[in-house]
Amino acid sequence: MIDSTIREPLHRELERWQDAGRVARLWLRDDDAIEPTAALERLIAETKNYHIPITLAVIPAFTGTPLAQRLAEEALVSVAVHGWAHHNHAGPDEKKQELGGPRLEETVLGELFEGFLKLKDLYPTRFLTMLVPPWNRIDKGLVPKLPALGFQSLSTYGRVKGKGPLAIVNTHVDLMDWHGTRGGRPMVELIGELVAELQDRFEGRSEPIGVLGHHLVHDTAAWNFLAELFEATAGHPAVEWVSAASLVQDQMSIT
Ligand SMILES: [Zn+2]
């Protein structure tokens, strides 16, 4: 059990939305899936339990039919393209990046196209034409080339700045502490960040709020936060958990 004062700010903020007759849109992305695992089963079970749609960013190079067969009947799961092999091609002093850096543009785009086709083929009903760059990083110059490969949307991290050549559906609250403990971040911090995003949207930004998980490395703290989040938000009149597909659709119908 967590101290109720920790969850209080989220409850208060959602109450404010409810009193104003407004509904916040949340969506869930989880990265690095390759094959069925116990952690994936847990993620699927928990999201299903609350009827929350989820987008799995799957690494094309290393995945195959076992995962596709496992997800075939999971109507709430959609599959996005997580780069090609999740390999780092950045220099030793640079931030990790697969999509860009010193390699030829056509090499990178060729891999992305291969990944796109492979997942499209593996997931005839679950495939989303969305690119999720590994480490949420992609060279700016590659983005205008993505629609020609078939991508209709891009998902990285942080609030969206400006418009691009394709729909952008980003994440904003990352469960993991990558640079410190490499475990789940403290509940109080994650709730604070989610509340800050909600306050920002209340002031008028229409962008939905993306929550980012990495099921393979979730520890107790990360699972606890998800459980707390689902419990507080699923079925709440001020919250709608939406699928990435519908968020992409929204943007395409506006532009
Ligand atoms: Zn990743």
Side-chain angles (χ1 to χ4, degrees), residues 69-113:
Q69 281 169 358
R70 174 61 192 87
L71 298 179
E73 303 301 321
E74 298 296 343
L76 289 168
V77 177
S78 60
V79 168
V81 181
H82 199 29
W84 166 243
H86 217 299
H87 285 164
N88 178 29
H89 297 283
D93 298 325
E94 293 167 342
K95 288 183 171 174
K96 288 181 178 166
Q97 182 166 341
E98 180 177 45
L99 308 182
R103 294 190 304 157
L104 284 177
E105 199 175 271
E106 54 256 49
T107 308
V108 180
L109 293 172
E111 286 182 353
L112 283 179
F113 190 48

Short mmCIF file of all heavy atoms in Angstrom, two decimals, residues 69-113:
data_model
loop_
_atom_site.label_atom_id
_atom_site.label_comp_id
_atom_site.label_asym_id
_atom_site.label_seq_id
_atom_site.Cartn_x
_atom_site.Cartn_y
_atom_site.Cartn_z
N GLN A 69 1.88 -14.48 -33.10
CA GLN A 69 0.81 -15.43 -32.75
C GLN A 69 0.23 -15.10 -31.38
O GLN A 69 -0.97 -15.16 -31.16
CB GLN A 69 1.35 -16.86 -32.76
CG GLN A 69 1.44 -17.41 -34.17
CD GLN A 69 2.21 -18.72 -34.26
OE1 GLN A 69 2.73 -19.22 -33.26
NE2 GLN A 69 2.32 -19.25 -35.46
N ARG A 70 1.09 -14.71 -30.46
CA ARG A 70 0.62 -14.39 -29.11
C ARG A 70 -0.30 -13.17 -29.12
O ARG A 70 -1.26 -13.10 -28.36
CB ARG A 70 1.83 -14.13 -28.18
CG ARG A 70 1.47 -13.64 -26.80
CD ARG A 70 0.61 -14.64 -26.05
NE ARG A 70 0.02 -14.09 -24.84
CZ ARG A 70 -1.13 -13.43 -24.78
NH1 ARG A 70 -1.84 -13.23 -25.88
NH2 ARG A 70 -1.59 -12.97 -23.63
N LEU A 71 0.00 -12.20 -30.00
CA LEU A 71 -0.77 -10.95 -29.98
C LEU A 71 -1.98 -10.98 -30.92
O LEU A 71 -2.81 -10.07 -30.89
CB LEU A 71 0.13 -9.77 -30.36
CG LEU A 71 1.32 -9.51 -29.41
CD1 LEU A 71 2.14 -8.33 -29.91
CD2 LEU A 71 0.83 -9.26 -27.98
N ALA A 72 -2.07 -12.02 -31.72
CA ALA A 72 -3.10 -12.05 -32.77
C ALA A 72 -4.51 -11.83 -32.23
O ALA A 72 -5.33 -11.18 -32.87
CB ALA A 72 -3.02 -13.36 -33.54
N GLU A 73 -4.77 -12.34 -31.03
CA GLU A 73 -6.13 -12.23 -30.48
C GLU A 73 -6.28 -11.07 -29.50
O GLU A 73 -7.34 -10.90 -28.91
CB GLU A 73 -6.52 -13.54 -29.78
CG GLU A 73 -6.45 -14.78 -30.66
CD GLU A 73 -7.35 -14.67 -31.88
OE1 GLU A 73 -8.47 -14.14 -31.75
OE2 GLU A 73 -6.92 -15.10 -32.98
N GLU A 74 -5.22 -10.30 -29.28
CA GLU A 74 -5.29 -9.22 -28.30
C GLU A 74 -5.77 -7.93 -28.96
O GLU A 74 -5.00 -7.13 -29.47
CB GLU A 74 -3.91 -9.00 -27.64
CG GLU A 74 -3.39 -10.19 -26.86
CD GLU A 74 -4.27 -10.54 -25.65
OE1 GLU A 74 -5.09 -9.70 -25.23
OE2 GLU A 74 -4.14 -11.68 -25.15
N ALA A 75 -7.07 -7.74 -28.90
CA ALA A 75 -7.68 -6.63 -29.64
C ALA A 75 -7.22 -5.25 -29.15
O ALA A 75 -7.30 -4.27 -29.89
CB ALA A 75 -9.20 -6.73 -29.54
N LEU A 76 -6.72 -5.17 -27.93
CA LEU A 76 -6.33 -3.87 -27.39
C LEU A 76 -4.87 -3.51 -27.71
O LEU A 76 -4.41 -2.42 -27.39
CB LEU A 76 -6.51 -3.85 -25.86
CG LEU A 76 -7.95 -3.83 -25.36
CD1 LEU A 76 -8.01 -4.12 -23.86
CD2 LEU A 76 -8.61 -2.48 -25.65
N VAL A 77 -4.17 -4.45 -28.32
CA VAL A 77 -2.74 -4.22 -28.59
C VAL A 77 -2.53 -3.82 -30.05
O VAL A 77 -3.04 -4.47 -30.96
CB VAL A 77 -1.92 -5.50 -28.29
CG1 VAL A 77 -0.44 -5.29 -28.64
CG2 VAL A 77 -2.07 -5.91 -26.83
N SER A 78 -1.77 -2.74 -30.26
CA SER A 78 -1.31 -2.43 -31.62
C SER A 78 0.21 -2.46 -31.61
O SER A 78 0.85 -2.34 -30.58
CB SER A 78 -1.84 -1.08 -32.08
OG SER A 78 -1.40 -0.06 -31.22
N VAL A 79 0.78 -2.63 -32.81
CA VAL A 79 2.23 -2.84 -32.93
C VAL A 79 2.84 -1.75 -33.80
O VAL A 79 2.40 -1.52 -34.93
CB VAL A 79 2.50 -4.24 -33.53
CG1 VAL A 79 3.95 -4.38 -33.95
CG2 VAL A 79 2.12 -5.33 -32.53
N ALA A 80 3.86 -1.10 -33.24
CA ALA A 80 4.58 -0.05 -33.98
C ALA A 80 6.01 -0.52 -34.27
O ALA A 80 6.50 -1.45 -33.64
CB ALA A 80 4.60 1.24 -33.17
N VAL A 81 6.66 0.16 -35.21
CA VAL A 81 8.00 -0.22 -35.67
C VAL A 81 9.06 0.47 -34.80
O VAL A 81 9.17 1.70 -34.82
CB VAL A 81 8.20 0.19 -37.15
CG1 VAL A 81 9.58 -0.24 -37.64
CG2 VAL A 81 7.09 -0.42 -38.02
N HIS A 82 9.82 -0.33 -34.05
CA HIS A 82 10.82 0.25 -33.14
C HIS A 82 12.20 0.21 -33.80
O HIS A 82 13.06 -0.61 -33.45
CB HIS A 82 10.80 -0.52 -31.83
CG HIS A 82 11.43 0.22 -30.68
ND1 HIS A 82 11.46 1.60 -30.59
CD2 HIS A 82 12.04 -0.23 -29.55
CE1 HIS A 82 12.06 1.96 -29.48
NE2 HIS A 82 12.44 0.88 -28.83
N GLY A 83 12.39 1.11 -34.78
CA GLY A 83 13.66 1.13 -35.51
C GLY A 83 13.84 -0.14 -36.30
O GLY A 83 12.88 -0.70 -36.84
N TRP A 84 15.08 -0.63 -36.36
CA TRP A 84 15.32 -1.89 -37.05
C TRP A 84 15.89 -2.92 -36.06
O TRP A 84 15.22 -3.90 -35.74
CB TRP A 84 16.25 -1.70 -38.26
CG TRP A 84 16.79 -2.98 -38.81
CD1 TRP A 84 18.09 -3.37 -38.86
CD2 TRP A 84 16.03 -4.07 -39.36
NE1 TRP A 84 18.20 -4.64 -39.40
CE2 TRP A 84 16.95 -5.09 -39.72
CE3 TRP A 84 14.65 -4.29 -39.59
CZ2 TRP A 84 16.54 -6.30 -40.29
CZ3 TRP A 84 14.25 -5.50 -40.16
CH2 TRP A 84 15.19 -6.48 -40.50
N ALA A 85 17.08 -2.69 -35.54
CA ALA A 85 17.71 -3.68 -34.66
C ALA A 85 18.02 -3.10 -33.27
O ALA A 85 18.58 -3.79 -32.43
CB ALA A 85 19.00 -4.19 -35.28
N HIS A 86 17.63 -1.83 -33.05
CA HIS A 86 17.92 -1.17 -31.77
C HIS A 86 19.43 -1.16 -31.51
O HIS A 86 19.89 -1.35 -30.39
CB HIS A 86 17.19 -1.86 -30.62
CG HIS A 86 16.68 -0.89 -29.58
ND1 HIS A 86 17.52 -0.08 -28.86
CD2 HIS A 86 15.42 -0.61 -29.15
CE1 HIS A 86 16.78 0.65 -28.02
NE2 HIS A 86 15.50 0.36 -28.18
N HIS A 87 20.19 -0.95 -32.58
CA HIS A 87 21.64 -0.84 -32.44
C HIS A 87 22.05 0.62 -32.38
O HIS A 87 21.49 1.46 -33.08
CB HIS A 87 22.34 -1.51 -33.64
CG HIS A 87 22.30 -3.00 -33.56
ND1 HIS A 87 22.57 -3.81 -34.64
CD2 HIS A 87 22.03 -3.83 -32.53
CE1 HIS A 87 22.46 -5.08 -34.28
NE2 HIS A 87 22.13 -5.12 -33.01
N ASN A 88 23.04 0.87 -31.55
CA ASN A 88 23.54 2.23 -31.42
C ASN A 88 24.63 2.50 -32.46
O ASN A 88 25.62 1.78 -32.52
CB ASN A 88 24.08 2.41 -30.00
CG ASN A 88 24.66 3.79 -29.79
OD1 ASN A 88 24.23 4.75 -30.44
ND2 ASN A 88 25.63 3.88 -28.90
N HIS A 89 24.43 3.54 -33.27
CA HIS A 89 25.44 3.90 -34.27
C HIS A 89 26.05 5.26 -33.98
O HIS A 89 26.74 5.82 -34.83
CB HIS A 89 24.82 3.89 -35.67
CG HIS A 89 24.33 2.54 -36.09
ND1 HIS A 89 25.18 1.54 -36.51
CD2 HIS A 89 23.09 2.00 -36.12
CE1 HIS A 89 24.47 0.45 -36.80
NE2 HIS A 89 23.21 0.70 -36.57
N ALA A 90 25.76 5.81 -32.81
CA ALA A 90 26.33 7.11 -32.45
C ALA A 90 27.77 6.93 -31.98
O ALA A 90 28.18 5.83 -31.60
CB ALA A 90 25.49 7.75 -31.34
N GLY A 91 28.52 8.00 -32.00
CA GLY A 91 29.90 7.97 -31.52
C GLY A 91 29.94 7.78 -30.01
O GLY A 91 28.92 7.88 -29.34
N PRO A 92 31.16 7.50 -29.48
CA PRO A 92 31.29 7.18 -28.06
C PRO A 92 30.84 8.31 -27.12
O PRO A 92 30.39 8.03 -26.01
CB PRO A 92 32.79 6.91 -27.89
CG PRO A 92 33.44 7.43 -29.13
CD PRO A 92 32.41 7.41 -30.21
N ASP A 93 30.95 9.56 -27.57
CA ASP A 93 30.56 10.67 -26.70
C ASP A 93 29.18 11.21 -27.01
O ASP A 93 28.76 12.22 -26.45
CB ASP A 93 31.60 11.81 -26.80
CG ASP A 93 32.97 11.34 -26.35
OD1 ASP A 93 33.03 10.52 -25.41
OD2 ASP A 93 33.97 11.77 -26.96
N GLU A 94 28.48 10.56 -27.94
CA GLU A 94 27.17 11.06 -28.34
C GLU A 94 26.06 10.26 -27.68
O GLU A 94 26.29 9.15 -27.21
CB GLU A 94 27.01 10.97 -29.86
CG GLU A 94 27.95 11.88 -30.62
CD GLU A 94 28.02 11.55 -32.11
OE1 GLU A 94 27.63 10.42 -32.50
OE2 GLU A 94 28.48 12.40 -32.85
N LYS A 95 24.86 10.85 -27.70
CA LYS A 95 23.70 10.13 -27.17
C LYS A 95 23.38 8.96 -28.10
O LYS A 95 23.55 9.07 -29.32
CB LYS A 95 22.50 11.07 -27.08
CG LYS A 95 22.66 12.07 -25.94
CD LYS A 95 21.42 12.93 -25.81
CE LYS A 95 21.50 13.77 -24.55
NZ LYS A 95 20.40 14.73 -24.46
N LYS A 96 22.89 7.88 -27.51
CA LYS A 96 22.61 6.68 -28.30
C LYS A 96 21.57 6.94 -29.38
O LYS A 96 20.57 7.60 -29.14
CB LYS A 96 22.12 5.56 -27.37
CG LYS A 96 23.22 5.00 -26.51
CD LYS A 96 22.71 3.89 -25.62
CE LYS A 96 23.86 3.33 -24.80
NZ LYS A 96 23.38 2.50 -23.71
N GLN A 97 21.84 6.40 -30.56
CA GLN A 97 20.93 6.64 -31.69
C GLN A 97 21.13 5.57 -32.75
O GLN A 97 22.25 5.24 -33.12
CB GLN A 97 21.25 8.02 -32.28
CG GLN A 97 20.35 8.42 -33.42
CD GLN A 97 20.46 9.91 -33.74
OE1 GLN A 97 20.91 10.69 -32.91
NE2 GLN A 97 20.04 10.28 -34.92
N GLU A 98 20.01 5.05 -33.24
CA GLU A 98 20.09 4.12 -34.36
C GLU A 98 19.78 4.83 -35.68
O GLU A 98 20.39 4.53 -36.71
CB GLU A 98 19.10 2.95 -34.18
CG GLU A 98 19.17 1.95 -35.34
CD GLU A 98 18.26 0.74 -35.15
OE1 GLU A 98 17.09 0.92 -34.76
OE2 GLU A 98 18.72 -0.38 -35.41
N LEU A 99 18.82 5.76 -35.61
CA LEU A 99 18.30 6.36 -36.84
C LEU A 99 19.01 7.68 -37.14
O LEU A 99 18.52 8.75 -36.80
CB LEU A 99 16.78 6.56 -36.72
CG LEU A 99 16.02 5.29 -36.30
CD1 LEU A 99 14.53 5.56 -36.24
CD2 LEU A 99 16.33 4.14 -37.25
N GLY A 100 20.16 7.56 -37.79
CA GLY A 100 20.92 8.74 -38.16
C GLY A 100 22.38 8.52 -37.88
O GLY A 100 22.87 7.40 -38.00
N GLY A 101 23.07 9.59 -37.55
CA GLY A 101 24.49 9.47 -37.27
C GLY A 101 25.30 9.34 -38.55
O GLY A 101 24.90 9.85 -39.60
N PRO A 102 26.41 8.64 -38.49
CA PRO A 102 27.34 8.64 -39.62
C PRO A 102 26.92 7.74 -40.80
O PRO A 102 27.53 7.80 -41.86
CB PRO A 102 28.63 8.09 -38.99
CG PRO A 102 28.17 7.24 -37.86
CD PRO A 102 26.90 7.85 -37.36
N ARG A 103 25.91 6.94 -40.63
CA ARG A 103 25.57 6.01 -41.71
C ARG A 103 24.86 6.71 -42.85
O ARG A 103 24.24 7.76 -42.68
CB ARG A 103 24.68 4.88 -41.18
CG ARG A 103 25.42 4.00 -40.19
CD ARG A 103 24.62 2.77 -39.87
NE ARG A 103 23.29 3.11 -39.37
CZ ARG A 103 22.26 2.28 -39.43
NH1 ARG A 103 22.40 1.08 -39.98
NH2 ARG A 103 21.10 2.63 -38.92
N LEU A 104 24.93 6.09 -44.03
CA LEU A 104 24.25 6.65 -45.19
C LEU A 104 22.74 6.64 -44.95
O LEU A 104 22.19 5.69 -44.40
CB LEU A 104 24.52 5.80 -46.44
CG LEU A 104 25.89 5.94 -47.09
CD1 LEU A 104 26.01 4.97 -48.26
CD2 LEU A 104 26.09 7.39 -47.57
N GLU A 105 22.11 7.73 -45.41
CA GLU A 105 20.67 7.85 -45.25
C GLU A 105 19.93 6.66 -45.86
O GLU A 105 18.99 6.13 -45.28
CB GLU A 105 20.23 9.15 -45.92
CG GLU A 105 18.90 9.66 -45.45
CD GLU A 105 18.61 11.02 -46.07
OE1 GLU A 105 19.01 12.01 -45.45
OE2 GLU A 105 18.00 11.07 -47.15
N GLU A 106 20.38 6.24 -47.06
CA GLU A 106 19.64 5.14 -47.70
C GLU A 106 19.78 3.82 -46.93
O GLU A 106 18.91 2.97 -47.00
CB GLU A 106 19.99 4.96 -49.18
CG GLU A 106 21.45 4.79 -49.48
CD GLU A 106 22.04 6.08 -50.06
OE1 GLU A 106 21.81 7.15 -49.45
OE2 GLU A 106 22.73 6.00 -51.09
N THR A 107 20.88 3.66 -46.20
CA THR A 107 21.03 2.45 -45.39
C THR A 107 20.00 2.45 -44.26
O THR A 107 19.31 1.46 -44.03
CB THR A 107 22.45 2.42 -44.76
OG1 THR A 107 23.41 2.60 -45.79
CG2 THR A 107 22.71 1.12 -44.04
N VAL A 108 19.90 3.60 -43.59
CA VAL A 108 18.96 3.71 -42.47
C VAL A 108 17.52 3.56 -42.97
O VAL A 108 16.73 2.79 -42.39
CB VAL A 108 19.14 5.08 -41.77
CG1 VAL A 108 18.17 5.21 -40.61
CG2 VAL A 108 20.58 5.25 -41.29
N LEU A 109 17.21 4.25 -44.06
CA LEU A 109 15.84 4.18 -44.58
C LEU A 109 15.53 2.77 -45.10
O LEU A 109 14.40 2.29 -44.96
CB LEU A 109 15.64 5.22 -45.69
CG LEU A 109 15.69 6.68 -45.22
CD1 LEU A 109 15.68 7.63 -46.42
CD2 LEU A 109 14.51 7.01 -44.29
N GLY A 110 16.54 2.12 -45.68
CA GLY A 110 16.35 0.75 -46.17
C GLY A 110 16.00 -0.20 -45.04
O GLY A 110 15.10 -1.03 -45.16
N GLU A 111 16.69 -0.04 -43.92
CA GLU A 111 16.39 -0.89 -42.75
C GLU A 111 14.98 -0.61 -42.22
O GLU A 111 14.24 -1.53 -41.87
CB GLU A 111 17.40 -0.62 -41.63
CG GLU A 111 18.77 -1.21 -41.88
CD GLU A 111 19.73 -0.97 -40.73
OE1 GLU A 111 19.40 -0.23 -39.78
OE2 GLU A 111 20.84 -1.54 -40.78
N LEU A 112 14.65 0.68 -42.17
CA LEU A 112 13.32 1.03 -41.66
C LEU A 112 12.22 0.45 -42.55
O LEU A 112 11.18 -0.02 -42.06
CB LEU A 112 13.15 2.55 -41.58
CG LEU A 112 13.85 3.21 -40.40
CD1 LEU A 112 13.64 4.73 -40.45
CD2 LEU A 112 13.33 2.65 -39.07
N PHE A 113 12.46 0.48 -43.85
CA PHE A 113 11.46 -0.05 -44.78
C PHE A 113 11.33 -1.57 -44.59
O PHE A 113 10.22 -2.12 -44.59
CB PHE A 113 11.85 0.29 -46.22
CG PHE A 113 10.77 0.00 -47.21
CD1 PHE A 113 9.46 0.42 -47.00
CD2 PHE A 113 11.05 -0.68 -48.39
CE1 PHE A 113 8.46 0.15 -47.92
CE2 PHE A 113 10.05 -0.96 -49.32
CZ PHE A 113 8.76 -0.54 -49.08
#
